[in-house]
Amino acid sequence: MQTVALKPKRAEWTAMVIGLVLLCAAMLALPVLCPLLALAVPLLACPLVRRREEAVAWVAAAVPTVSALMAGYDALFAASLLLIGALPLLITRLVPVTQRAGARGMLMYMSATAFSLTMVLAMATRMLGGPLPYTLAEAYVQWVDGSMNKQVILRLYAANGRISALEGIRPLMEAAYSRQLLLSLRLTAENLLVRQLPLLLVKASIIVGLFTSLRLERTNGVVLVVETRTACDKRTRIIAPPGFRMLSLPRPLPVWLILLIATAVILLLTPGSFAQTMLVLCNGTVETLLCLQGAAVMVFLNTRTDPDRKTLAGLLAATVYLLAPVVLCLIGIADLMFHFRNPQAHKPD
């Protein structure tokens, strides 16, 4: 039996390079969005490692830093943006393929993304001179206060129950009523950002790390197998990684996940802001893992009869994740119990 690694077609490499060029142009044009846009760099750049186009990957990793410096941002904050693309590239470059395959590779890229985003948040806090949630909330309130539609925005928030003020002073002092609404808006925005920023960091780390690892497996893991039975009888088959649609948490549940759930229960009973923040992180980690498993089940069911529908199935799963993540979470829990996907259903072409 002989095996030959199959590489993607030249058009796919060209598409990755074009995608990186467009991404770099967007980061240069919109420096304020560099931390978000830079998260897409590993997905497009890591497969180019050890190829002729590798230089393009390293340049793309450095573009967020260049863009931030050109916009006049703090040097340390700009340097932290380099980590988002550079750390996954270093892992891809230095760690052998066999050592970053499967769950180990996913954990490596997730950890690299989490460390990078943590450093970006720390440097942003240093640059702004205060905790990021409070600074962002203050900036948003100032924008609302200076907006021509200030009263409309405040009334919409008040009508939805997001902010409130003493109605008794409204007929007497409209200005004082508006100031109370602005103060209520500031407190609401601060509380929301304090809860959501750590949660977004966890979700971004898991999702970016997972899909970077899966993309590398898809790029480097397709193998042509030639089986020779007799001189005249040779059979060939293509073995490809199962991909996202077969993604699943190990069964039985790993010890670390059980400990994570137990930790969340303990933190739920523990007073204090730190315990509540850690509770949000634990819940966010478990929820994201279960949502990804549910999304994998959805993609599997939609592509079981027609594999060419994987793009449409992926967009559908992403839409459900954005609009109703609890649906994917329930599907993921049900899959752990009832095993909707048979591992034997994925057969090589």
Side-chain angles (χ1 to χ4, degrees):
M1 183 176 67
Q2 297 177 335
T3 59
V4 179
L6 299 180
K7 297 297 181 181
K9 298 178 181 179
R10 182 64 190 173
E12 293 189 34
W13 299 116
T14 304
M16 292 181 197
V17 173
I18 293 175
L20 280 176
V21 171
L22 295 176
L23 187 61
C24 291
M27 289 188 288
L28 290 172
L30 301 169
V32 70
L33 296 181
C34 276
L36 296 177
L37 296 176
L39 291 173
V41 170
L43 297 173
L44 298 173
C46 287
L48 300 179
V49 172
R50 299 185 185 279
R51 287 188 53 84
R52 290 178 300 176
E53 300 88 350
E54 183 175 353
V56 179
W58 288 101
V59 170
V63 165
T65 298
V66 175
S67 178
L69 289 175
M70 292 174 59
Y73 293 140
D74 180 72
L76 290 178
F77 172 73
S80 67
L81 295 176
L82 178 65
L83 298 175
I84 299 176
L87 285 184
L89 285 174
L90 283 174
I91 293 174
T92 309
R93 181 69 178 173
L94 300 178
V95 181
V97 176
T98 55
Q99 295 184 16
R100 53 178 167 83
R104 182 184 299 178
M106 293 178 187
L107 185 59
M108 286 182 183
Y109 290 107
M110 289 177 189
S111 301
T113 306
F115 176 77
S116 303
L117 292 179
T118 301
M119 292 302 297
V120 170
L121 287 178
M123 293 302 103
T125 298
R126 175 187 174 277
M127 178 180 67
L128 296 173
L132 188 60
Y134 302 107
T135 306
L136 292 177
E138 178 65 26
Y140 179 65
V141 170
Q142 289 181 359
W143 176 82
V144 172
D145 192 21
S147 173
M148 296 178 60
N149 300 318
K150 169 184 171 180
Q151 296 300 328
V152 176
I153 297 173
L154 292 176
R155 287 170 185 170
L156 285 175
Y157 278 121
N160 292 330
R162 303 294 180 91
I163 60 177
S164 60
L166 296 176
E167 289 288 341
I169 67 172
R170 185 172 184 179
L172 302 176
M173 295 178 291
E174 184 70 27
Y177 181 73
S178 295
R179 284 197 299 270
Q180 281 203 358
L181 287 179
L182 285 172
L183 178 60
S184 178
L185 177 61
R186 178 183 290 107
L187 294 175
T188 301
E190 289 175 356
N191 293 333
L192 178 65
L193 289 171
V194 165
R195 292 195 308 269
Q196 293 300 320
L197 273 181
L199 186 59
L200 290 175
L201 186 148
V202 169
K203 291 185 176 183
S205 302
I206 294 175
I207 293 173
V208 173
L210 170 67
F211 282 100
T212 299
S213 180
L214 289 176
R215 188 168 181 83
L216 285 169
E217 284 187 4
R218 177 180 174 273
T219 303
N220 302 318
V222 182
V223 178
L224 174 66
V225 179
V226 181
E227 297 179 348
T228 304
R229 299 187 177 182
T230 64
C232 300
D233 185 8
K234 293 185 178 181
R235 297 186 180 184
T236 61
R237 56 177 178 153
I238 296 176
I239 299 180
F244 176 73
R245 74 192 197 112
M246 295 303 295
L247 181 72
S248 176
L249 293 172
R251 301 185 181 94
L253 291 181
V255 176
W256 62 265
L257 185 58
I258 297 176
L259 290 176
L260 193 62
I261 296 174
T263 302
V265 174
I266 295 173
L267 291 172
L268 183 62
L269 305 175
T270 305
S273 59
F274 177 77
Q276 295 304 310
T277 300
M278 295 304 298
L279 173 63
V280 169
L281 295 181
C282 291
N283 290 341
T285 301
V286 175
E287 176 194 346
T288 304
L289 292 174
L290 291 175
C291 284
L292 288 171
Q293 173 136 347
V297 172
M298 181 175 291
V299 172
F300 173 80
L301 295 176
N302 286 323
T303 59
R304 183 169 48 181
T305 56
D306 185 6
D308 293 334
R309 296 194 311 183
K310 59 183 180 181
T311 302
L312 180 61
L315 291 175
L316 177 61
T319 302
V320 175
Y321 179 75
L322 292 174
L323 299 180
V326 66
V327 174
L328 293 181
C329 189
L330 293 175
I331 295 175
I333 295 173
D335 184 54
L336 288 175
M337 294 187 296
F338 301 111
H339 312 288
F340 294 135
R341 296 165 294 173
N342 181 358
Q344 301 300 323
H346 178 73
K347 298 179 180 179
D349 299 330

